[in-house]
Amino acid sequence: RVLGAMPIEDRQDYCLPLLESFYDRSLSRTLENYYPVRRNRPSQASREDLEKELAAGKCVITLGDDCQLLRTVVLAALEIRNTQDQLLVLIAATKGGSLVPDVVLPATKLRDQESTDAAAKRLIGEELPDLGGTMEFNSSQSDKKEMKSKLGLRTVYLKTTYFVTLMSSSDKLGIHGSSYSRSRRGLTRQISQESQRNSCVTNEILSQVQPIEAPNRRDGKRQLFAWLHREDFQKLSACAANPKDEFFRRWCDNYSRMEPTSPSSSQQLAEPQNEEQHVPHGGVEE
């Protein structure tokens, strides 16, 4: 967390030489004399991705207790619950140009000199659809998870989850429906008729989903959100992780082929009804 709080330039002054030391052949012979174990070098492609992440302030690189490179990522996540006891869940996002299942709570990596509070504010203001209503922040919880990342490094994720109640959300998108949601409601019905023999619960859950798309993202990526009860969230997440479940992927593919709502109607749907979204202030765990 200390390195993560530094400006990117200062952080790179520490992380880049450390990363380079694992690749520089001229240094290897000297370092090996002091290293108690054989150093594991990520691939060149992973190295380039790591350097990009470091330049963007999305991670820090240190030495772990095993004397190997350790990647640390700090996250801010939101568990937003509406008055129907449903959670706002990301259900699909574009990867490699295609819309694919991705069932998780909304979350974001911290940027340069950004606190978890600031990251949560940015997530609400820039990456989520406009939900309207009033957000009441109740508490937060921090946890630590360690796993091997796709970059080939052992990675520690430090996540702070904010628990939020969204009041008066039934007047907005995704509850009673809108022209934006209703235009796609026939999507799951059509697929359901074609996949009645599908044993996965995806069919049943998606037939009730009213997708909410975050408009005008700066990175151009598409993200679909939905209100789900916790049990359905857990079931849909398991289905998304199942490589044999083709139903969810076809649902995403069919959705991506549909024409998006016109900008004017999207803007009307997204206009708040003179209500203010409140973001977390002091007292939130960093």
Side-chain angles (χ1 to χ4, degrees):
R1 290 187 184 271
V2 174
L3 282 173
M6 292 181 177
I8 288 181
E9 294 79 7
D10 294 341
R11 194 186 312 173
Q12 288 182 309
D13 287 343
Y14 174 86
C15 296
L16 288 178
L18 177 61
L19 182 62
E20 176 65 22
S21 70
F22 272 66
Y23 293 90
D24 192 331
R25 298 290 182 182
S26 63
L27 295 175
S28 295
R29 289 187 297 273
T30 302
L31 290 174
E32 295 294 352
N33 294 332
Y34 298 95
Y35 253 71
V37 296
R38 183 177 181 274
R39 290 175 299 157
N40 298 322
R41 295 178 178 85
S43 67
Q44 185 61 33
S46 294
R47 176 186 178 180
E48 293 173 359
D49 288 339
L50 284 169
E51 290 176 347
K52 291 178 182 178
E53 283 198 352
L54 289 170
K58 293 183 176 180
C59 74
V60 295
I61 301 296
T62 57
L63 279 181
D65 53 11
D66 57 354
C67 297
Q68 304 294 345
L69 292 175
L70 177 67
R71 172 175 171 259
T72 301
V73 177
V74 185
L75 303 169
L78 295 171
E79 184 172 301
I80 303 175
R81 187 186 306 273
N82 65 18
T83 53
Q84 284 74 40
D85 200 32
Q86 296 171 309
L87 301 177
L88 182 71
V89 177
L90 175 69
I91 61 171
T94 51
K95 292 183 179 179
S98 300
L99 191 66
V100 297
D102 188 12
V103 184
V104 293
L105 291 176
T108 185
K109 295 178 182 177
L110 269 64
R111 296 178 180 173
D112 183 27
Q113 293 184 285
E114 189 176 49
S115 66
T116 51
D117 273 21
K121 295 177 184 179
R122 173 173 53 79
L123 181 58
I124 293 171
E126 299 181 10
E127 301 184 31
L128 296 185
D130 186 355
L131 303 173
T134 301
M135 287 193 181
E136 182 178 307
F137 282 75
N138 304 311
S139 62
S140 67
Q141 175 180 307
S142 295
D143 59 78
K144 176 180 177 180
K145 182 178 182 180
E146 183 175 319
M147 58 189 296
K148 190 172 183 178
S149 75
K150 62 181 180 180
L151 299 178
L153 289 186
R154 189 162 61 96
T155 299
V156 173
Y157 294 92
L158 304 176
K159 182 175 69 173
T160 299
T161 302
Y162 296 87
F163 299 94
V164 185
T165 301
L166 178 65
M167 309 302 296
S168 304
S169 58
S170 59
D171 296 331
K172 301 302 290 182
L173 290 171
I175 305 300
H176 294 314
S178 62
S179 59
Y180 184 80
S181 296
R182 287 195 296 268
S183 65
R184 291 165 171 77
R185 201 169 293 170
L187 176 68
T188 50
R189 293 173 182 169
Q190 177 185 358
I191 298 180
S192 297
Q193 293 171 359
E194 297 173 353
S195 308
Q196 292 178 356
R197 290 174 294 181
N198 194 317
S199 59
C200 186
V201 296
T202 319
N203 189 334
E204 178 183 355
I205 298 174
L206 289 179
S207 65
Q208 304 298 322
V209 161
Q210 298 176 25
I212 313 170
E213 186 166 353
N216 303 323
R217 284 180 57 93
R218 291 188 300 176
D219 57 11
K221 294 182 179 179
R222 300 183 69 181
Q223 288 189 329
L224 299 185
F225 296 86
W227 291 105
L228 298 175
H229 289 289
R230 185 176 297 276
E231 182 179 359
D232 288 341
F233 168 36
Q234 294 171 344
K235 290 179 179 179
L236 197 61
S237 179
C239 291
N242 182 4
K244 296 182 179 180
D245 181 12
E246 294 297 328
F247 178 84
F248 201 167
R249 289 164 180 78
R250 290 206 310 274
W251 185 93
C252 291
D253 185 54
N254 283 16
Y255 184 97
S256 64
R257 295 177 183 177
M258 302 187 73
E259 291 295 329
T261 306
S262 64
S264 59
S265 60
S266 296
Q267 184 176 3
Q268 291 174 357
L269 289 170
E271 284 293 331
Q273 302 295 319
N274 296 323
E275 294 170 331
E276 182 181 0
Q277 287 186 342
H278 296 285
V279 292
H281 295 289
V284 180
E285 186 174 0
E286 291 290 327

